[in-house]
Amino acid sequence: MQLYFSPLACSMATRISLYEAEAQARYVEVDPDTKHLPNGDDYRAISPLGLVPALQLDDGSVLTESAAILQYVADRFPGAGLVPTSPLERTRLQQWLSFIGTELHKALFVPLLGDKTPPGAREYALEKGGSKLALLDTHLADRQFLLGRFSVADAYLFTVLTWSMATPVDLKQYPALSAYQVRLRGRPSIARALAEESLLYAQAQARRRKSA
Ligand SMILES: N[C@@H](CCC(=O)N[C@@H](CS)C(=O)NCC(=O)O)C(=O)O
């Protein structure tokens, strides 16, 4: 299988999950501005919206949407225990994946990170986002992970939280969430993904500066 990703984007959650599962996979970088692949092909021929992640399976079929891809990876490698087995806990996992994808990724971080965000939208997102971060902080006050053990939802939450450093979101206001971030950073799959993607991000930025 082949993961289409951009460095430090939400696709990093799938990379972390693939590392957790010790899965064999290829990683293909997508330029988020041009939508080009390293071989010059247009990524939109693979995934029409040009968004990462996309996971191409060995039969050529393509999966999109983080919540779906993450669960596919977890189901494909059940030995890694990346999703709960009971129906109720599996639904809780989906609850968290939806929460992270909608309330945090799209509603909070996209307006804060966007360079074309309309005036006032950043402040609105930041104000609305406070209660979402506070909810997570309360939930994590007496837990190591979102569920009883590490799951693909933690891979996604960790990825989204890394974006806070480029925004006015101050995680220090949320001690349990901050501690969670620090704790997860020490996990081998996460440390490896973060180091690799930080380097690729810096290289992509240098290429962008050179061509500007
Ligand atoms: N709903 C999609 C959203 C994916 C998404 O927004 N990806 C971002 C990176 S985190 C992207 O590719 N942005 C490039 C763009 O907006 O052109 C998912 O959950 O996978």
Side-chain angles (χ1 to χ4, degrees), residues 5-12 14 30-33 35 43 49-54 64-69 97 101-102 105-106 110 113 156 159-160 163:
F5 76 99
S6 298
L8 301 181
C10 50
S11 42
M12 192 169 79
T14 302
V30 178
D31 182 320
D33 300 327
K35 307 296 179 195
Y43 171 57
L49 293 179
L51 301 175
V52 292
T64 61
E65 294 299 323
S66 299
I69 293 173
L97 290 173
T102 57
H105 178 173
K106 289 294 174 180
V110 167
L113 291 165
Y156 193 12
T159 298
V160 165
W163 303 337

Side-chain angles (χ1 to χ4, degrees), residues 20-157:
E20 284 281 336
E22 297 180 17
Q24 290 295 319
R26 288 180 299 277
Y27 297 85
V28 182
E29 186 169 341
V30 178
D31 182 320
D33 300 327
T34 65
K35 307 296 179 195
H36 286 164
L37 302 177
N39 66 3
D41 286 357
D42 190 333
Y43 171 57
R44 285 163 292 202
I46 308 278
S47 183
L49 293 179
L51 301 175
V52 292
L55 189 68
Q56 189 160 35
L57 307 183
D58 294 343
D59 66 1
S61 58
V62 174
L63 294 173
T64 61
E65 294 299 323
S66 299
I69 293 173
L70 290 168
Q71 292 186 76
Y72 174 81
V73 169
D75 288 336
R76 176 92 185 261
F77 302 97
L82 294 171
V83 282
T85 48
S86 91
L88 178 60
E89 282 300 289
R90 180 69 182 242
T91 306
R92 290 244 178 261
L93 172 98
Q94 289 163 342
Q95 174 189 310
W96 283 118
L97 290 173
S98 300
F99 176 84
I100 299 160
T102 57
E103 306 297 343
L104 299 183
H105 178 173
K106 289 294 174 180
L108 176 60
F109 284 105
V110 167
L112 294 181
L113 291 165
D115 50 12
K116 295 194 180 114
T117 303
R122 271 194 183 76
E123 294 71 16
Y124 181 77
L126 204 53
E127 192 213 312
K128 297 287 273 184
S131 60
K132 320 289 166 53
L133 296 168
L135 180 133
L136 276 172
D137 196 51
T138 304
H139 181 75
L140 290 167
D142 53 1
R143 287 180 181 83
Q144 295 276 315
F145 306 111
L146 287 169
L147 300 168
R149 55 178 288 179
F150 182 86
S151 72
V152 291
D154 295 296
Y156 193 12
L157 178 57

